[in-house]
Amino acid sequence: MSLHKEQQIKIYNTLSGKKETFTPIEPGHIGMYVCGPTVYSNVHLGNVRTFMSFDMVFRYFKHLGYKVRYVRNITDAGHLENDADAGEDKITKKARLESIEPMEVVQRYTVDFHNTLNTFNFLPPSIEPTATGHIIEQIELVKKIIANGFGYEVNGSVYFDVHKFNESYTYGILSKRKLEDLIHNTRALDGQSDKKNPQDFALWKKAEPQHIMRWPSPWSDGFPGWHLECTTMSTKYLGEHFDIHGGGMDLKFPHHECEIAQNEAAVGRSPVNFWMHANMLELNGQRMSKTTGNIINPAELLSGKNDIMSKAYSPSVIRFFIAQSSYRSILDLTNDGLLSSEKGFLRLMDAINALDELKAGTASTFDIAEWQQRCYDAMNDDFNSPILIANLFEAVKYINQLKEGTATLTAEDLELLKSSMHSFCFDILGLENVGITDSSSEKLAGAVELLIELRQQARANKDFALSDKIRDQLAEKGIQLNDSKEGTTFDVK
């Protein structure tokens, strides 16, 4: 059964700045492209949040019965340090620093990317193309742009003529930036003398002698511009006009703006009906930053081996935490927030597990079909997962009343409640029904907590010999105590 015929979805379109009713170009089919990672370092939590948002979108479309072609690329060449035309290729730089081949860098961090996303229970995309696998197509696209008068070659590099393009189209249509403002705010930069104007961006860059990653082209041995890659790969697999293009908010300008310009310059039309952007992830109220040390990576969050969180958190608790905010909202990652999400997640799983033990009655106290539609209404409203979760906890209340015998459901409604809870929690939100602890580990946790309390009393009494003995003997058994200003936690090795 195709549920999509019964559900009308509204999506916030960055292009128009408002929610619009979503109608696919081809009935029953959806083409969606999301900008993937540049694989020169371990995937960070901000990336995970963005890709998790689109994983949920992908899951919802599939649940509704759409046939979805979801394309998410791997950038393995051409992404320069300042995300534009200058500096060193990020992958080449990493290879040079570690004295390894660039493709060793690519392989290492592509594997890390896939392993991390698998840990968080992501569905794989339909197609995962790489930039290096589409060099020929990118060269052909540059030829089209030059032939149409919107690209020019200087000293082996090819640039996009933004000013010429703006005479026929609108550069800045997505980000709402005006070219005259960009001109006013642009300072002349060293190394940009080849360009007609500072706003022009690279379509093809001539490789310097020391640049390892290079390919032959009509203009020079070089490599493609970063913006060109996504235009080429999205249109190759989804056509010149497709339904949805997604990515992080940080890509809206210049990356996505340049994608629109390239497509219009090459084929005369804007490529995408709906542009979707996931917002930023903060850590304790501040932007994540390697330079300030305000950063935590997925492995540290999952293992608990960090100085920021009080304990380790499971992948499903982190997914649940992320789903409790709209994908368009800034999300602040905090220990208190994760602890609260863990409690909520466990309540939800306990309720789902209890459903299997419930017996049907002769009448229904609740209108389960109406509740189910409210869950769909939440997702239909720009994938509003926080409202969906609020509705799921309404169901938790129902389930608790059913357990207590103060409410009843017919066999048909009980089955509808079971199937709906499974669909929304597991198929759409991507959670996994794993308890944080089993009964034996709960007993272990209780025993260790008692020893931690005895150790704290010993320290308060200045009996440091006993305090150290408790810590050391637990360590011999593979239980490590972690003292911090928030208190003492433990890890089982």
Side-chain angles (χ1 to χ4, degrees):
M1 179 181 170
S2 294
L3 288 168
H4 62 79
K5 293 177 182 176
E6 303 168 16
Q7 308 297 333
Q8 186 179 78
I9 301 174
K10 286 186 177 290
I11 299 177
Y12 182 87
N13 190 352
T14 309
L15 198 59
S16 65
K18 62 184 180 183
K19 291 179 188 176
E20 298 175 9
T21 300
F22 175 73
T23 304
I25 295 167
E26 184 181 345
H29 294 71
I30 293 172
M32 180 169 77
Y33 184 89
V34 173
C35 292
T38 301
V39 282
Y40 72 99
S41 64
N42 295 109
V43 61
H44 63 75
L45 272 171
N47 292 142
V48 171
R49 193 255 174 125
T50 294
F51 299 134
M52 197 174 287
S53 298
F54 289 104
D55 182 63
M56 180 183 68
V57 171
F58 181 37
R59 285 170 172 275
Y60 188 56
F61 284 141
K62 285 171 68 71
H63 171 77
L64 292 182
Y66 283 104
K67 186 173 182 181
V68 188
R69 179 175 288 177
Y70 173 24
V71 183
R72 187 186 65 213
N73 74 297
I74 297 284
T75 293
D76 57 353
H79 190 166
L80 303 185
E81 286 177 292
N82 67 348
D83 294 347
D85 306 319
E88 196 170 1
D89 183 295
K90 292 182 176 184
I91 292 163
T92 299
K93 182 178 181 181
K94 186 81 167 184
R96 181 176 54 76
L97 291 173
E98 297 191 14
S99 298
I100 58 177
E101 282 287 329
M103 280 301 155
E104 287 184 77
V105 175
V106 166
Q107 179 70 10
R108 177 190 302 172
Y109 295 115
T110 301
V111 169
D112 169 74
F113 174 68
H114 288 147
N115 287 343
T116 300
L117 267 53
N118 288 341
T119 300
F120 285 105
N121 195 33
F122 279 61
L123 297 179
S126 316
I127 303 172
E128 193 173 51
T130 63
T132 56
H134 295 77
I135 298 295
I136 293 170
E137 292 91 337
Q138 292 177 76
I139 289 171
E140 291 304 310
L141 186 60
V142 175
K143 288 180 183 176
K144 275 189 185 179
I145 292 172
I146 292 173
N148 290 343
F150 298 113
Y152 59 93
E153 184 263 333
V154 182
N155 296 329
S157 291
V158 182
Y159 296 98
F160 189 94
D161 192 332
V162 170
H163 291 246
K164 179 74 180 296
F165 171 81
N166 207 53
E167 293 172 7
S168 306
Y169 300 95
T170 305
Y171 184 76
I173 193 169
L174 181 68
S175 60
K176 311 299 184 281
R177 302 187 188 205
K178 289 184 167 53
L179 183 56
E180 50 266 34
D181 294 336
L182 294 172
I183 295 168
H184 179 72
N185 293 326
T186 301
R187 296 175 182 174
L189 300 175
D190 290 338
Q192 290 192 329
S193 56
D194 283 351
K195 298 182 185 182
K196 289 181 182 177
N197 297 285
Q199 296 77 33
D200 296 348
F201 56 88
L203 297 171
W204 185 266
K205 289 286 286 183
K206 180 181 179 180
E208 298 299 324
Q210 70 274 17
H211 198 98
I212 308 168
M213 300 179 82
R214 58 175 65 219
W215 292 266
S217 80
W219 314 287
S220 64
D221 278 4
F223 54 94
W226 173 41
H227 311 310
L228 187 76
E229 298 170 3
C230 286
T231 296
T232 302
M233 290 184 280
S234 62
T235 56
K236 177 179 173 68
Y237 295 108
L238 298 174
E240 293 172 355
H241 185 215
F242 56 96
D243 296 297
I244 296 171
H245 193 313
M249 193 72 78
D250 56 321
L251 298 181
K252 184 166 64 172
F253 185 89
H255 186 52
H256 291 160
E257 197 73 71
C258 292
E259 281 192 59
I260 292 174
Q262 288 168 159
N263 211 76
E264 289 180 327
V267 299
R269 70 166 306 152
S270 186
V272 182
N273 280 355
F274 283 81
W275 285 88
M276 296 177 64
H277 291 92
N279 217 322
M280 300 293 105
L281 181 68
E282 293 183 340
L283 180 60
N284 292 324
Q286 296 180 350
R287 183 179 176 181
M288 284 203 200
S289 168
K290 288 180 183 177
T291 53
T292 63
N294 189 54
I295 194 162
I296 185 170
N297 67 38
E300 291 170 335
L301 193 56
L302 293 166
S303 68
K305 295 177 181 176
N306 61 81
D307 299 324
I308 298 172
M309 303 299 171
S310 64
K311 56 172 291 190
Y313 294 98
S314 76
S316 277
V317 165
I318 297 166
R319 269 197 88 116
F320 186 66
F321 171 79
I322 289 173
Q324 286 179 294
S325 290
S326 163
Y327 76 92
R328 289 197 293 120
S329 301
I330 293 175
L331 176 59
D332 188 18
L333 183 71
T334 66
N335 189 63
D336 287 347
L338 284 166
L339 285 172
S340 176
S341 288
E342 185 173 78
K343 289 176 184 174
F345 172 77
L346 288 173
R347 278 179 59 212
L348 193 55
M349 294 304 109
D350 285 345
I352 288 174
N353 293 335
L355 275 171
D356 292 332
E357 308 299 323
L358 296 177
K359 305 297 183 194
T362 55
S364 293
T365 315
F366 310 113
D367 186 341
I368 299 302
E370 186 272 336
W371 165 83
Q372 181 199 50
Q373 187 55 50
R374 281 193 281 122
C375 291
Y376 279 119
D377 289 344
M379 288 302 292
N380 294 340
D381 182 18
D382 196 30
F383 313 100
N384 197 328
S385 54
I387 299 299
L388 169 62
I389 290 170
N391 287 322
L392 294 177
F393 278 107
E394 282 295 314
V396 171
K397 289 181 189 174
Y398 299 164
I399 292 165
N400 288 336
Q401 291 176 33
L402 294 168
K403 283 166 62 179
E404 293 160 2
T406 58
T408 59
L409 286 180
T410 63
E412 185 181 0
D413 277 349
L414 183 58
E415 192 55 42
L416 179 60
L417 180 59
K418 284 182 185 178
S419 63
S420 297
M421 289 293 281
H422 278 79
S423 291
F424 287 113
C425 290
F426 306 135
D427 297 344
I428 295 168
L429 292 180
L431 305 176
E432 293 180 283
N433 193 355
V434 287
I436 304 304
T437 56
D438 58 26
S439 59
S440 60
S441 57
E442 281 179 358
K443 292 172 185 174
L444 171 65
V448 175
E449 293 293 347
L450 176 61
L451 287 168
I452 288 172
E453 190 176 327
L454 291 172
R455 180 170 172 261
Q456 287 171 337
Q457 290 175 6
R459 293 169 82 180
N461 295 333
K462 300 194 183 320
D463 187 352
F464 298 114
L466 177 58
S467 167
D468 291 345
K469 184 177 181 180
I470 292 171
R471 181 198 63 207
D472 294 343
Q473 292 200 355
L474 282 173
E476 288 175 12
K477 302 295 183 185
I479 299 168
Q480 180 180 324
L481 300 185
N482 304 308
D483 295 319
S484 69
K485 59 185 179 183
E486 285 84 17
T488 301
T489 59
F490 71 93
D491 292 319
V492 181
K493 304 298 180 186

